[in-house]
Amino acid sequence: MSLDSIDKKLLYLLQNDCKKTTKELSLKLNLSVTAVYERIKKLEREEIIDKYVVLLNRSKVGKGFVVFCHIKLIQHTKEFLTKFETEVVKLKEVLECHHVSGDYDYILKIVVKDMEAYREFLVTKLTTLEHIGSTHSTFMISEVKNTTVIEV
């Protein structure tokens, strides 16, 4: 699907506030409410819009401690990778898991209450996963930029 400038602006507006009504969007886009509704439905059908979510304030829900954990597996066989990925997606503390190139195999973004909670998570959950050779944790000092908006 080819996106025109109106689709791009619509996607930008929705990414910033998906609770805007089609009427509010129609005024910003200078289109009819029906035209906006049809464009949104088309973007959903084409799976350009993947899903709608609510973003929480981590600190206010007791998950303000952010850790980036680099993982090395003991081997890079398909079996080990698959087993690790199957298990890590089950960990509720892990918000993101990326298979990466370089010195490490995976980078995890983990949120917990504090350092004590991270230690508990590391000892009782993460390091109990099979095939982990080593971990390296980096703790967030402050968040300079965090956005979910993708410019198209």
Side-chain angles (χ1 to χ4, degrees):
M1 175 181 165
S2 180
L3 299 174
D4 64 20
S5 61
I6 295 172
D7 289 329
K8 291 176 183 180
K9 187 170 183 185
L10 175 57
L11 288 168
Y12 179 80
L13 293 169
L14 287 170
Q15 286 182 91
N16 280 287
D17 184 1
C18 70
K19 288 192 75 169
K20 287 210 180 301
T21 66
T22 50
K23 183 175 183 178
E24 290 172 308
L25 293 167
S26 73
L27 294 172
K28 290 191 180 281
L29 297 169
N30 202 24
L31 292 174
S32 71
V33 172
T34 303
V36 170
Y37 176 82
E38 291 301 324
R39 281 179 181 263
I40 291 171
K41 288 299 160 198
K42 184 173 139 194
L43 292 165
E44 291 171 347
R45 266 192 320 276
E46 295 292 327
E47 297 179 339
I48 291 169
I49 296 176
D50 191 30
K51 62 183 164 183
Y52 298 91
V53 299
V54 172
L55 301 175
L56 302 181
N57 180 322
R58 287 187 308 270
S59 296
K60 293 195 178 205
V61 295
K63 304 290 181 180
F65 194 73
V66 180
V67 183
F68 297 95
C69 185
H70 298 71
I71 306 282
K72 273 188 193 178
L73 299 184
I74 56 175
Q75 286 184 353
H76 299 100
T77 64
K78 184 176 181 181
E79 175 194 344
F80 284 16
L81 296 173
T82 302
K83 177 72 170 157
F84 174 78
E85 290 173 6
T86 300
E87 294 303 313
V88 80
V89 298
K90 296 176 186 173
L91 301 174
K92 64 181 176 22
E93 296 87 352
V94 176
L95 294 187
E96 300 176 26
C97 175
H98 303 275
H99 189 189
V100 297
S101 64
D103 292 338
Y104 294 94
D105 300 311
Y106 292 92
I107 298 175
L108 310 180
K109 181 178 180 181
I110 300 163
V111 296
V112 289
K113 181 181 178 192
D114 53 24
M115 178 64 84
E116 186 178 320
Y118 180 64
R119 183 183 186 286
E120 181 70 15
F121 167 77
L122 195 63
V123 171
T124 64
K125 292 184 180 180
L126 188 61
T127 57
T128 64
L129 299 183
E130 292 183 52
H131 314 306
I132 291 181
S134 66
T135 64
H136 175 87
S137 300
T138 305
F139 308 102
M140 182 180 79
I141 295 171
S142 70
E143 191 169 79
V144 176
K145 180 179 181 179
N146 181 354
T147 184
T148 59
V149 176
I150 299 171
E151 291 279 339
V152 290

